[in-house]
Amino acid sequence: MIMSRAHGILLIAALCLPGVSVAQSILSVNYPLGMPLRPNCGMALSMGGTGVAVADDHHLMLSNPANLGTVDKTVFSSLVSAGFLNLHDHDQVANFLDVIPTQLGFGFSLGRAGSIAFSLDTRTNSAIKYRAVYDETLVPSVNSLELAFSSNGGISAWQAGWGYSILSRVNVGLSYERVYLRLDQSRLQTTRGLSGTSRSIDSTNVLWRGNGLRFGVMVPVKGLTFGLSAEFFLPSDASYTSAVWWGEDNSAVSSLEQGDFTLQLPPTITGGLSYQPRPEWLFAVDMSTVMWEVYDSRGHLPDATVGRTLGFGVGAQFVPAPTLLSPRYWETMRYRAGFRYEELPASENSEFAFGLGTGLPLPPIGLLDIVAEYGWRNDAHYADLSEEFFRFAIGVNAGRKWTKSSKGSY
Amino acid sequence: MRFPRLLHAFVVVGLLLPAVALVCLSCKTPFDPATPLGSDVLRDVDPKITDLSAVIKTVDSVSVPVDTVFSALVRNATARPAGLFVYPSGMTVGKTIGHRSIAYVEFDSTVFAVKGGYTSLRSLELVLRPRAAERLKESSPTIRVDTVEVKGHDSTRFDLSTITAASLLRTGAVADSQYVNTRDDTVDVYKEIAIPLADGVLFGQLSALCAESLTTYLPYDESYALSVEDSGFVVFESVAIRAVFDHAKNDKDSIDVIEKSPAYFDVTILETDSIPATTLVSSPRSGRETILGLNLDGMYQAMVDGTDRYQSILEANLTLNVGSVATEEDDSIIVHYVLSDSLHTSAVSPDSDYAIYRNSDGSVAYLDMHSRGPITIPFEAQLQKFAENPGKDLYLYLQVATRRGTWGWVSWDVPRPVSLKLQAVFSNPRTGE
């Protein structure tokens, strides 16, 4: 009873964490849609981003909609991550923190009709806060001048999916996505002079609501499972506002431009393979590609300077005694590790990360994921600049089978 | 044996603690809300983010020709002539700091209720009760009272030229010798000045009513102008007509006093010859402000660089020359200013839009009697809204106020033709705009 209450408090606390993003990636200013935040579930995060060929209830459709074909219970999955970033520029270092509710999902078994799921997740983050102060005297009446740049927003999406197992041999799934993009960028100039502080802001805001489709297939063959997932977006209109603001409360506008443009997001295809030689061990490998050559923002967002980006991940999970009828607690814990490499959406930009994690069973139906990921990213054009990051994530998962399977035997 | 729940907690905490420790070790400095690092990357994306020269333009000395320049009396928002004061601020009469103040007092349909049975009207006086003792230290003003035409609660129709020798009613002196401390140690008042009205029409009418046996009501209409002869200045706390009657049936020393306050009074303030009419003056008492018609074509041209036009004016400072400042010794002047695209010399002046001249630390800047030479006033916030539609005639209005609410004025040294000096900082260039 006490533990159940503790689990509930932990879950509520995790879901209520504010979505403040004070961390930043300077390199992401070159990325058209912000910094990609995949993977987005605890198991995949600790296993190097793999999951497209991993059948696991708590994955829901986050890695592959076809996974829903393996779900035969009511499932809940969530993940909140805190990101710590050290920005190295020549001999200087700046530290940043952000907390992002990464995903929340529910899945329901429909029996012979397969399973459905709903989820909400964060895809990209474009937080940047740059500020430089110049004390040089420009004119006698100005004491100091400040240049600043801020960027925030990103992509979030909710999706509804359905998965089905064909003769228990092939799992297929598809999902519909409603995708929201918001990117706010502002250049600020501030002077401190005779009349106090004067500020003007040149800002650009882009809003887009679009639709996406995901398809997946997962084919288990003995200990091997093959998985394939593809994600496509339909082009639709985005609105933009470009304005120069001024005044004490930034309420006056001296230049305003508004309009629409058609935005096409890039599709993604991911293939994977998992291997489970024994119940204790699971190995997985994923490869993905994002086709940025399809991306088109008509010049209103940063151009993609790459044609396609590749991603690679490999991971493993070990459960000491998954089949014992009465195991000790530590024998039911899941130990995971992984490595991933991703090309980022700008030329010669890449990211490496190592993940470690554990899944702590929360009797009777829950699983608490604790994940740590360490990595770095860099741009070959800037040899003296790199970003070192550490992500710490907590995922709360649960699942219960409310109906008796007709396929079960006693 | 089941895994103890306590050990379960230890495992969780044991995983969390190293994570937190790792975070602490990775962060050698506190988390930064913003950083100047990464400027190379941002500069390659947009030079306007990091390069001062790409986003900021400064001009140190743009010439701003003053096309028109004059000072004018303005009307304030209450639709009353500026410089007219009503109770309870007091009724000012006299001459001080370049101004002359004349009060208009009106007893309009004032009704005396005279009870029957009086034996006689002992006295009838216009009673003036001064206050503000400190104003009398240098002179002893002689108060002049004139009988003027009743204007029906409209002092704007009061014609000062009607104050002539023929209108003189009486004079009465206010002197230090009349000082009495009648209340307590903290409030100084002067002994009242009583101007006899014994030879007027009202005295005869009231005297005639003494013979009546019942209460009689006598309406009375009369107006007076109060001024000071020669020099001096006084503030009256109250003005009244006081009638003193002797009782018929009581003992001979018993009296009844009827005192009537004016139905309306106001004050007109004029500048004296010590402020030349041709001087550019800002005066709160006479309601005069200085108006400079600015030609900002040079600034608008400076906001354009090739195909780029700067959108924002971060700083704009105009240098003005103070000619002279006149105040009372312990007072100082506050400068208010506003930029407008309309020229209003008699219409309502939008006081709320006026900015206050301040020091660089944000405190109010005061001018005193020793202030001379240039002052720099920032007006970028007022100028920005006009910069989007260049070409309009713009006018800079200069008003002043005294810090303690006393008397004072500022003259501006703006010889004609003249060009003022403007310092400015522009930002946010945009191509083709």
Side-chain angles (χ1 to χ4, degrees):
Chain A
M1 181 67 180
I2 293 175
M3 289 303 292
S4 296
R5 185 174 299 170
H7 297 159
I9 293 172
L10 183 61
L11 170 63
I12 292 170
L15 295 178
C16 294
L17 277 174
V20 289
S21 273
V22 294
Q24 59 174 312
S25 165
I26 290 287
L27 292 175
S28 71
V29 73
N30 283 309
Y31 308 155
L33 307 172
M35 176 61 66
L37 293 180
R38 296 172 300 165
N40 53 12
C41 71
M43 183 177 182
L45 180 62
S46 56
M47 292 177 63
T50 58
V52 76
V54 174
D56 186 276
D57 292 343
H58 303 145
H59 270 199
L60 289 173
M61 56 192 160
L62 296 167
S63 298
N64 186 348
N67 182 57
L68 293 177
T70 69
V71 174
D72 61 353
K73 57 174 69 85
T74 299
V75 179
F76 166 77
S77 175
S78 67
L79 187 73
V80 174
S81 66
F84 304 88
L85 184 136
N86 289 340
L87 172 63
H88 298 263
D89 188 2
H90 293 83
D91 296 329
Q92 295 181 290
V93 181
N95 305 295
F96 304 97
L97 162 72
D98 73 0
V99 177
I100 299 176
T102 305
Q103 66 93 358
L104 178 67
F106 298 90
F108 306 94
S109 171
L110 301 179
R112 291 182 179 178
S115 297
I116 59 171
F118 304 93
S119 71
L120 178 68
D121 63 319
T122 305
R123 305 286 176 86
T124 69
N125 180 24
S126 69
I128 296 175
K129 289 187 185 298
Y130 169 84
R131 177 173 172 264
V133 178
Y134 301 86
D135 292 326
E136 57 196 79
T137 302
L138 299 169
V139 293
S141 57
V142 175
N143 299 324
S144 70
L145 192 144
E146 179 181 313
L147 296 184
F149 173 77
S150 75
S151 173
N152 60 71
I155 293 178
S156 58
W158 66 261
Q159 60 179 317
W162 172 74
Y164 185 72
S165 177
I166 303 173
L167 302 175
S168 298
R169 294 183 180 278
V170 177
N171 299 303
V172 295
L174 70 142
S175 69
Y176 161 77
E177 295 178 300
R178 185 64 174 166
V179 185
Y180 299 86
L181 166 67
R182 180 180 63 84
L183 288 176
D184 301 330
Q185 291 191 335
S186 299
R187 283 189 288 109
L188 296 82
Q189 297 91 39
T190 306
T191 56
R192 291 177 178 80
L194 282 180
S195 59
T197 299
S198 296
R199 175 183 298 152
S200 70
I201 301 175
D202 192 336
S203 68
T204 302
N205 314 100
V206 174
L207 284 173
W208 180 75
R209 296 181 184 87
N211 302 306
L213 294 172
R214 296 178 70 207
F215 307 92
V217 61
M218 197 180 286
V219 182
V221 180
K222 296 185 177 178
L224 284 173
T225 301
F226 300 92
L228 183 69
S229 173
E231 182 179 40
F232 303 92
F233 300 97
L234 304 176
S236 58
D237 284 348
S239 64
Y240 72 94
T241 302
S242 178
V244 175
W245 304 88
W246 58 277
E248 291 183 5
D249 55 356
N250 302 323
S251 59
V253 59
S254 63
S255 174
L256 178 65
E257 182 185 348
Q258 293 176 307
D260 297 327
F261 65 95
T262 301
L263 178 64
Q264 171 68 67
L265 297 191
T268 301
I269 297 177
T270 307
L273 176 67
S274 69
Y275 177 55
Q276 190 162 21
R278 298 176 53 184
E280 293 87 349
W281 286 98
L282 172 68
F283 302 95
V285 59
D286 275 10
M287 289 197 71
S288 64
T289 181
V290 182
M291 290 174 274
W292 285 99
E293 69 267 32
V294 178
Y295 161 78
D296 183 12
S297 71
R298 308 293 169 90
H300 290 279
L301 295 173
D303 291 330
T305 54
V306 291
R308 292 184 182 183
T309 56
L310 297 175
F312 169 79
V314 59
Q317 173 180 271
F318 173 69
V319 184
T323 56
L324 284 183
L325 288 176
S326 183
R328 295 182 178 181
Y329 184 86
W330 65 271
E331 293 174 327
T332 65
M333 290 173 56
R334 306 176 186 194
Y335 301 91
R336 301 166 182 148
F339 164 78
R340 65 183 175 89
Y341 163 79
E342 286 187 53
E343 291 178 336
L344 295 168
S347 68
E348 300 187 62
N349 278 239
S350 57
E351 175 177 292
F352 301 82
F354 296 94
L356 280 176
T358 182
L360 303 176
L362 302 175
I365 60 172
L367 181 72
L368 177 69
D369 286 325
I370 299 176
V371 185
E373 185 185 53
Y374 170 79
W376 64 94
R377 65 180 73 97
N378 53 43
D379 184 333
H381 302 98
Y382 306 98
D384 295 318
L385 187 141
S386 67
E387 295 177 348
E388 178 186 27
F389 60 89
F390 175 79
R391 271 176 92 185
F392 180 71
I394 293 180
V396 178
N397 311 280
R400 165 162 281 184
K401 195 170 185 177
W402 298 98
T403 58
K404 188 184 297 181
S405 169
S406 60
K407 297 178 287 188
S409 59
Y410 300 92
Chain B
M1 179 181 175
R2 308 292 295 184
F3 196 80
R5 286 180 172 176
L6 186 58
L7 289 178
H8 175 183
F10 283 157
V11 170
V12 175
V13 174
L15 285 167
L16 290 176
L17 281 181
V20 173
L22 184 58
V23 169
C24 295
L25 288 174
S26 70
C27 302
K28 301 179 181 66
T29 59
F31 296 115
D32 299 311
T35 179
L37 304 186
S39 58
D40 293 346
V41 179
L42 296 174
R43 182 174 54 244
D44 289 347
V45 172
D46 183 358
K48 292 174 183 173
I49 296 175
T50 59
D51 290 352
L52 279 177
S53 60
V55 72
I56 296 291
K57 180 180 181 181
T58 62
V59 288
D60 193 20
S61 183
V62 169
S63 175
V64 178
V66 179
D67 291 341
T68 56
V69 54
F70 54 91
S71 58
L73 296 175
V74 295
R75 308 288 180 176
N76 64 21
T78 62
R80 301 168 64 87
L84 297 183
F85 301 91
V86 296
Y87 261 108
S89 59
M91 188 168 62
T92 57
V93 176
K95 298 173 183 174
T96 185
I97 318 287
H99 295 82
R100 178 184 177 208
S101 174
I102 300 160
Y104 170 79
V105 180
E106 182 174 307
F107 294 88
D108 179 23
S109 300
T110 301
V111 177
F112 286 87
V114 182
K115 291 188 291 185
Y118 292 135
T119 56
S120 63
L121 176 60
R122 178 182 289 191
S123 64
L124 181 66
E125 298 164 322
L126 181 66
V127 181
L128 312 175
R129 297 189 176 94
R131 70 177 188 191
E134 70 277 6
R135 301 196 184 281
L136 302 177
K137 289 174 183 173
E138 294 182 357
S139 62
S140 299
T142 299
I143 304 299
R144 171 185 170 132
V145 180
D146 289 81
T147 304
V148 295
E149 189 180 349
V150 175
K151 295 300 180 185
H153 297 198
D154 187 356
S155 60
T156 61
R157 295 162 57 203
F158 169 47
D159 185 359
L160 291 173
S161 66
T162 61
I163 300 177
T164 63
S167 66
L168 175 63
L169 182 62
R170 285 286 188 281
T171 59
V174 181
D176 284 346
S177 61
Q178 292 179 276
Y179 170 78
V180 289
N181 189 331
T182 58
R183 296 178 183 176
D184 54 46
D185 292 336
T186 60
V187 179
D188 292 341
V189 297
Y190 279 82
K191 186 177 179 181
E192 65 187 24
I193 303 168
I195 305 294
L197 302 175
D199 53 354
V201 175
L202 179 62
F203 189 89
Q205 292 175 327
L206 290 176
S207 295
L209 294 178
C210 290
E212 300 290 335
S213 57
L214 300 174
T215 300
T216 306
Y217 298 94
L218 176 64
Y220 174 66
D221 297 314
E222 190 63 272
S223 293
Y224 303 98
L226 308 180
S227 57
V228 165
E229 292 190 328
D230 301 325
S231 63
F233 181 80
V234 66
V235 178
F236 289 112
E237 191 169 74
S238 67
V239 178
I241 289 179
R242 182 171 64 201
V244 180
F245 294 92
D246 290 315
H247 275 292
K249 297 177 181 176
N250 298 331
D251 56 72
K252 61 180 181 182
D253 293 331
S254 180
I255 58 171
D256 265 2
V257 178
I258 299 176
E259 190 167 300
K260 290 296 180 183
S261 296
Y264 175 78
F265 69 89
D266 224 329
V267 177
T268 297
I269 298 171
L270 304 172
E271 292 174 3
T272 63
D273 293 342
S274 61
I275 306 178
T278 56
T279 305
L280 295 175
V281 164
S282 298
S283 164
R285 291 296 182 177
S286 65
R288 193 143 69 117
E289 65 181 349
T290 293
I291 304 167
L292 306 177
L294 305 180
N295 182 342
L296 291 165
D297 289 348
M299 188 199 73
Y300 293 135
Q301 289 168 9
M303 292 180 73
V304 178
D305 261 351
T307 58
D308 283 349
R309 182 179 184 278
Y310 288 84
Q311 302 292 305
S312 305
I313 303 173
L314 284 176
E315 300 283 334
N317 303 306
L318 200 63
T319 302
L320 293 171
N321 273 313
V322 175
S324 62
V325 177
T327 63
E328 295 187 359
E329 278 188 5
D330 54 350
D331 206 352
S332 52
I333 293 283
I334 303 168
V335 179
H336 300 257
Y337 58 96
V338 69
L339 194 67
S340 173
D341 59 352
S342 60
L343 179 62
H344 46 80
T345 56
S346 58
V348 173
S349 182
D351 290 343
S352 58
D353 290 341
Y354 279 69
I356 295 177
Y357 169 53
R358 297 177 183 278
N359 297 311
S360 57
D361 62 359
S363 61
V364 176
Y366 298 103
L367 306 181
D368 58 28
M369 288 190 294
H370 309 292
S371 298
R372 294 284 188 282
I375 64 169
T376 302
I377 61 169
F379 68 128
E380 61 274 357
Q382 302 185 24
L383 182 58
Q384 175 73 56
K385 60 185 175 186
F386 298 115
E388 293 142 29
N389 298 300
K392 279 189 174 180
D393 293 332
L394 296 181
Y395 302 93
L396 180 65
Y397 291 77
L398 299 167
Q399 285 188 356
V400 299
T402 54
R403 187 177 185 179
R404 292 200 303 108
T406 61
W407 300 68
W409 52 275
V410 173
S411 73
W412 305 98
D413 182 13
V414 187
R416 288 148 277 179
V418 68
S419 288
L420 301 178
K421 178 184 170 186
L422 175 75
Q423 293 178 338
V425 177
F426 308 128
S427 68
N428 285 322
R430 287 197 168 192
T431 302
E433 295 186 37

